[in-house]
Every structure is written in structure tokens, then in C-alpha cells.
Amino acid sequence: MRTNIIRHENMMVSYDEVNGWAVIEVDGEVDAHTAPMVREGVIKLLDEGHRHFVLDLGFVTFMDSMGLGMIVAITKRVREHEGALRFASVPSRVLRLFELSGLRGSYEIHASTAEATGSAPLPGSLAHWPNAPAD
């Protein structure tokens, strides 16, 4: 059952639990005004005991550098709790931000939430962040 955690005029954030993951769906604009709200929503879920997250960005209509900053802040918090973070349904315009910032290779990015939640989370999977582990 999807639970709303943020409602704002330009954005809504909700989450659901799937296969050990807290799947956070962001719908709308992620900018200087709304990014802190998303960060606080994730921190609230961490405080409630969630450790493993999939950020579904499929309905993000706009993201700026503040959105990327929020992602880095979330990553650091999740890492402190030995959690995991994956991304799903990232629109091409947002994926381009990941590429331009050099963060593309630092995250697991999946085509869908079903794909992202298909395997159970591995605690501490962010141990090598911000660099992907060498294969």
C-alpha cells in the first residue's frame, strides 16, 4: 500500500515496501524548494527503521543541481546506516544530469521498480560510493 509522505503544489512523494526495499516515488519538480523536502522524507523513513531504498524518478518533470545535491545527501545518510540505494525509471533528462555530474557510474540505475526490487538488498552496498567497485 503506497503511503504519501510529502504533498506540495509542485511535487508529491510516496513510498511502498517491496521485497525489503522502501520504494520512494517522486512525482513532480525536484529543485531548490522541493529537494530538502525529499531529503527530510527519506531521513524520516531512516528514523523509522528503513535502510534500503529505491528512488523511482519516473514521474520527475524537472530536476536541477539541488536535486543532485539532495541525492548525494540521501546517499551519505543511507550509507551511514549501512543501507542500499538504487534508482528506477530515471527519465533521460535526469539521467543526463547524472552523466554530466559524474555520478552515473556511482549508482545502480534500473529501467523499472520491478527490476530494481527484483533482488533483495545487500547491506553496506554503498561501501564503495561514490566510486563503483572495480570488476
Side-chain angles (χ1 to χ4, degrees):
M1 184 173 100
R2 187 153 297 284
T3 303
N4 289 332
I5 54 177
I6 299 169
R7 282 186 174 276
H8 183 268
E9 62 189 50
N10 295 328
M11 183 192 59
M12 186 170 76
V13 178
S14 58
Y15 88 98
D16 199 2
E17 293 183 51
V18 179
N19 195 25
W21 296 94
V23 179
I24 300 171
E25 183 178 279
V26 182
D27 185 349
E29 300 176 4
V30 183
D31 57 20
H33 186 67
T34 59
M37 291 184 253
V38 177
R39 183 177 59 80
E40 291 304 316
V42 173
I43 289 170
K44 179 181 179 209
L45 292 173
L46 277 165
D47 290 345
E48 292 174 0
H50 298 277
R51 296 293 178 258
H52 310 295
F53 298 89
V54 171
L55 217 55
D56 181 341
L57 303 179
F59 297 104
V60 170
T61 56
F62 174 81
M63 182 182 285
D64 64 10
S65 60
M66 290 298 292
L68 285 178
M70 172 269 301
I71 287 171
V72 169
I74 287 171
T75 303
K76 288 178 180 180
R77 285 291 187 107
V78 171
R79 183 178 179 200
E80 288 170 3
H81 289 89
E82 298 183 8
L85 176 64
R86 293 178 176 172
F87 291 86
S89 307
V90 181
S92 59
R93 64 192 167 278
V94 175
L95 191 57
R96 181 80 175 130
L97 285 174
F98 276 76
E99 291 168 356
L100 291 171
S101 68
L103 291 175
R104 172 65 177 94
S106 298
Y107 293 104
E108 288 185 48
I109 299 176
H110 299 271
S112 67
T113 55
E115 182 181 297
T117 60
S119 61
L122 297 173
S125 67
L126 293 171
H128 298 287
W129 185 87
N131 300 311
D135 292 327

